[in-house]
Amino acid sequence: MKKAIVSMSLVVALGVGLALPAVASGESHEGIEITININDANAEELDKLLVGIGPDKAASIIEYRDTNGPFAIPEDLIKVKGIGTSTVEKNRERIKLQ
């Protein structure tokens, strides 16, 4: 009986340990809708709230926006150097324009 409890505890502990990295990395936000207006967000917001966008790409988004005006459609992000269709698709539900 003790072996069964110890084995069961180990399985639960391993399961929890495997689940924590996904939550800590921001991959799972069940029940929370994350959106960001890419036309007025600052670099930190873009970096933290868009998947696949780090500080450098966030700065590029702002530079592009300052030079060319607001984004009309989410796909306009593809015009920013280093951002492709895959990144836009990963963030489609998060991107707001107004």
Side-chain angles (χ1 to χ4, degrees):
M1 182 68 163
K2 269 188 172 179
K3 278 187 176 182
I5 292 173
V6 170
S7 295
M8 209 172 193
S9 298
L10 182 58
V11 169
V12 170
L14 287 174
V16 169
L18 293 174
L20 288 177
V23 172
S25 68
E27 293 174 9
S28 176
H29 299 289
E30 189 173 328
I32 299 173
E33 182 180 340
I34 298 173
T35 60
I36 181 169
N37 182 333
I38 61 172
N39 285 321
D40 64 13
N42 64 36
E44 183 178 6
E45 293 167 331
L46 293 166
D47 173 20
K48 300 297 182 201
L49 299 176
L50 292 177
V51 177
I53 301 295
D56 294 339
K57 287 183 185 175
S60 294
I61 291 170
I62 290 175
E63 183 180 329
Y64 181 91
R65 187 178 69 199
D66 289 346
T67 302
N68 299 288
F71 297 97
I73 58 174
E75 288 77 11
D76 283 347
L77 275 175
I78 297 168
K79 297 175 183 176
V80 178
K81 184 177 179 178
I83 298 178
T85 55
S86 176
T87 302
V88 173
E89 288 306 316
K90 289 177 191 173
N91 290 290
R92 185 165 299 282
E93 295 299 316
R94 294 173 180 229
I95 296 171
K96 301 298 176 204
L97 301 169
Q98 295 184 31

